[in-house]
Amino acid sequence: MKDIVFTAKQQKCELRWLIAAIAVAFLTNIIAIIVYKTEWKEAWTQLIWVIVIGIGLYALSIGVRLVICCIRYLFRK
């Protein structure tokens, strides 16, 4: 069986994608607080949902990148 190697470079890249997804979710929360004029404590009290949405965005980005990779593979041959 062939081993799958997940190099340090790939790990750093995936960590950047995850941080970016969580940052987008957090910024969306901040924008919603400003738009709807709610209390700023919601930035911290809703943090668990921000993380869950960030992980969802990360999963969505994995799916999009996988589709792009498959399309490139199909058109390469």
Side-chain angles (χ1 to χ4, degrees):
M1 249 174 99
K2 186 177 178 182
D3 290 336
I4 298 174
V5 178
F6 196 50
T7 64
K9 183 179 178 181
Q10 291 169 328
Q11 290 175 6
K12 288 178 186 177
C13 182
E14 291 302 317
L15 184 61
R16 286 186 196 117
W17 276 102
L18 179 61
I19 290 171
I22 291 174
V24 166
F26 189 75
L27 287 175
T28 304
N29 189 26
I30 297 299
I31 291 169
I33 289 170
I34 293 169
V35 168
Y36 294 109
K37 297 180 176 105
T38 60
E39 296 181 22
W40 280 98
K41 69 178 182 178
E42 286 197 26
W44 306 113
T45 58
Q46 300 299 321
L47 193 58
I48 187 69
W49 292 110
V50 169
I51 292 172
V52 168
I53 291 169
I55 291 172
L57 288 173
Y58 175 69
L60 183 66
S61 76
I62 290 174
V64 169
R65 290 185 288 154
L66 186 61
V67 168
I68 290 170
C69 183
C70 289
I71 290 172
R72 283 183 182 170
Y73 179 76
L74 289 174
F75 285 113
R76 185 174 56 178
K77 288 191 171 187

